Amino acid sequence: MSQAITTAADLLKEHNGRNLGFYGIWLAAAAALVVLPLIFSSGGALTSFSLIGISIIFALSYNILLGQTGLLSFGHAVQYGLGGFLAVHAMNAVADHQWPVPLPFIPLIGGVGGLAFAMLVGWVITRRAGTVFAMISLGIGELVASSSLILRSVFGGEAGITTDRTALPHMFGWSFGPQIQVYYLIAFWLMLSAIAMYALTRTPLGRICNAVRDNPGRVEFIGYDPHVVRYLAYCFAGLFAGVAGGLTAINFEIANSAFLGATQSGLVLFATFIGGTAYFFGPVLGAILVTYLQLGLTNLTTVWQLYFGIIFIGIVMFAPGGIAGLLMMHRPLIRGRTLGMVIPSYLIAVLPTVALALGIILAIETVARYGQGQGEGSVINLLGVAFNATSPITWIVAAVLIVAGLLVSRITWRRMAEAFDHAATVARDRGYLA
């Protein structure tokens, strides 16, 4: 009897500990959002943080479709863009008519725009899943994107529609002119949206969305309509995508056809997938990585899209669970105290892997700049070493790095896998399976 009481007490203690850890993560995230601009206060840093916050909301909204419900959409930017356009129109209407609507409420209007479009077309396109849904979403995305260049009164043509966020009524003395005020507005909506989307995954609807993703036939057998579940998930995804679009319109004070294009849909798919769709924090990691890559690579190379494609292919081939999946693979090793068994093999594999990556980068940049002659544009700066795209030495160095890096990497990766399997086996023997 005492053993049963002790066991129950231990279970209750473990449950309370998990709750404290759960709330601690959210409190730490909120504190980080508050402190970040105080540490990195430059204009560039604030702009980057603002874009990352918007990207996280957008990626989490897409994961409601892909990760939670198993719907691969190629047109998720439609709800995002329409939310941005509706937010711009609302901001201009509020400024023109002097309505008492402060700027912090505008993202909600963008969310209503994304939700309205999702409700309008969602019932039709969610009747089917898989390839059919993906192709229909792509068609709708291209249809709306092309219409944005035709309906100039609504979308403003190629120039788009501009607005002035400072013309709206101020709130708590904030005009939202300085970027730091816009950042805190985005941070507020980021926390609100993230909490709401996480709560959605814990509701019965969220659980049945997972069931529809895994086995729609079984869901229909127990009395639920997979079509209705997919439709509701599509509507929620459209709502939060519209919020992200509204925040983008506030941040840039403009909405144009780029909001609706296939590039935007591709970026959110890229961020969500490489971050990891199986875990809630996966799209967060993917959005941070993709935003930093986009901001950094565009200033360094003209073929930055090619690097995105290579990274995406690499993730699909070698880590289909994304970055989050790779991290969570090590959870039982950490709990079983066997992580130290794999760290030496990881460190050994770093050098040839970096050499392989540098060889690929050098080869890509050499091909991209080969036709630019002997000018400054043909110079490739790789880790402080200057290479000329027209020099045969550059081609030789790239080939050596790729071949040698690949051969040595395959050996180190094999040993790394063996070390990981051994560490996982020891952790499993100690009772840590996941």
Side-chain angles (χ1 to χ4, degrees):
M1 187 69 172
S2 60
Q3 180 65 30
I5 295 175
T6 303
T7 303
D10 291 341
L11 290 175
L12 180 61
K13 183 178 180 181
E14 182 179 358
H15 177 71
N16 293 334
R18 289 181 178 178
N19 286 337
L20 290 176
F22 169 77
Y23 292 116
I25 292 174
W26 287 104
L27 290 175
L33 291 176
V34 173
V35 172
L36 272 177
L38 304 180
I39 301 176
F40 306 96
S41 58
S42 64
L46 292 176
T47 301
S48 300
F49 294 151
S50 299
L51 294 177
I52 289 173
I54 296 171
S55 298
I56 291 175
I57 299 175
F58 194 24
L60 287 174
S61 71
Y62 186 78
N63 202 45
I64 296 176
L65 295 178
L66 183 59
Q68 297 295 320
T69 320
L71 295 174
L72 176 62
S73 174
F74 290 137
H76 195 57
V78 172
Q79 291 91 319
Y80 170 85
L82 291 178
F85 275 103
L86 184 60
V88 167
H89 284 297
M91 292 167 66
N92 291 335
V94 169
D96 293 340
H97 298 87
Q98 296 298 314
W99 291 336
V101 180
L103 188 69
F105 292 95
I106 296 299
L108 184 60
I109 298 176
V112 171
L115 174 62
F117 184 82
M119 294 175 64
L120 179 65
V121 304
W123 186 256
V124 176
I125 70 173
T126 56
R127 293 182 65 88
R128 300 288 297 275
T131 305
V132 176
F133 175 85
M135 292 299 101
I136 294 176
S137 66
L138 176 62
I140 291 178
E142 291 302 309
L143 176 64
V144 176
S146 60
S147 299
S148 65
L149 301 176
I150 301 173
L151 304 176
R152 295 181 176 273
S153 59
V154 179
F155 299 102
E158 295 181 355
I161 300 177
T162 59
T163 186
D164 182 8
R165 61 177 180 247
T166 61
L168 274 70
H170 297 176
M171 189 173 184
F172 304 122
W174 283 22
S175 65
F176 295 100
Q179 185 63 38
I180 189 170
Q181 296 181 3
V182 177
Y183 162 80
Y184 279 121
L185 173 62
I186 294 172
F188 168 77
W189 275 101
L190 169 59
M191 286 299 302
L192 186 63
S193 301
I195 292 172
M197 283 186 274
Y198 182 82
L200 178 64
T201 65
R202 299 301 174 183
T203 62
L205 174 61
R207 298 303 189 186
I208 205 66
C209 284
N210 299 157
V212 169
R213 174 197 63 197
D214 297 333
N215 196 333
R218 179 62 63 87
V219 170
E220 191 171 6
F221 179 77
I222 63 176
Y224 292 92
D225 187 354
H227 176 209
V228 175
V229 176
R230 289 193 292 262
Y231 175 67
L232 292 175
Y234 189 79
C235 290
F236 276 109
L239 169 66
F240 291 107
V243 170
L247 290 171
T248 304
I250 292 173
N251 186 54
F252 292 111
E253 296 182 294
I254 189 174
N256 53 35
S257 58
F259 283 29
L260 303 162
T263 301
Q264 200 68 45
S265 296
L267 284 175
V268 71
L269 169 61
F270 180 78
T272 305
F273 193 86
I274 71 168
T277 60
Y279 302 95
F280 183 80
F281 69 93
V284 177
L285 299 179
I288 295 173
L289 175 63
V290 168
T291 304
Y292 267 115
L293 284 177
Q294 190 177 12
L295 294 175
L297 290 179
T298 51
N299 296 327
L300 297 176
T301 179
T302 58
V303 292
W304 58 272
Q305 298 96 333
L306 183 58
Y307 291 102
F308 275 25
I310 293 174
I311 295 173
F312 186 79
I313 293 173
I315 291 292
V316 171
M317 292 180 60
F318 301 107
I323 299 174
L326 291 175
L327 294 176
M328 294 304 290
M329 284 173 53
H330 296 80
R331 185 181 181 185
L333 275 62
I334 296 174
R335 299 178 65 187
R337 298 183 300 277
T338 60
L339 184 62
M341 298 180 180
V342 299
I343 290 179
S345 60
Y346 285 178
L347 295 177
I348 294 173
V350 166
L351 185 59
T353 304
V354 171
L356 174 61
L358 292 177
I360 294 174
I361 294 173
L362 185 59
I364 292 174
E365 294 300 322
T366 302
V367 173
R369 306 187 188 194
Y370 181 74
Q372 299 183 11
Q374 298 290 335
E376 184 179 351
S378 64
V379 178
I380 305 169
N381 191 346
L382 188 66
L383 298 182
V385 180
F387 293 92
N388 195 311
T390 60
S391 174
I393 298 178
T394 303
W395 295 86
I396 295 173
V397 172
V400 170
L401 287 174
I402 292 175
V403 174
L406 181 60
L407 293 177
V408 179
S409 293
R410 288 178 63 87
I411 298 174
T412 58
W413 293 342
R414 191 179 301 114
R415 293 182 178 179
M416 184 174 62
E418 293 173 355
F420 181 87
D421 291 339
H422 176 65
T425 301
V426 175
R428 190 180 303 112
D429 294 339
R430 294 177 179 176
Y432 299 97
L433 301 178

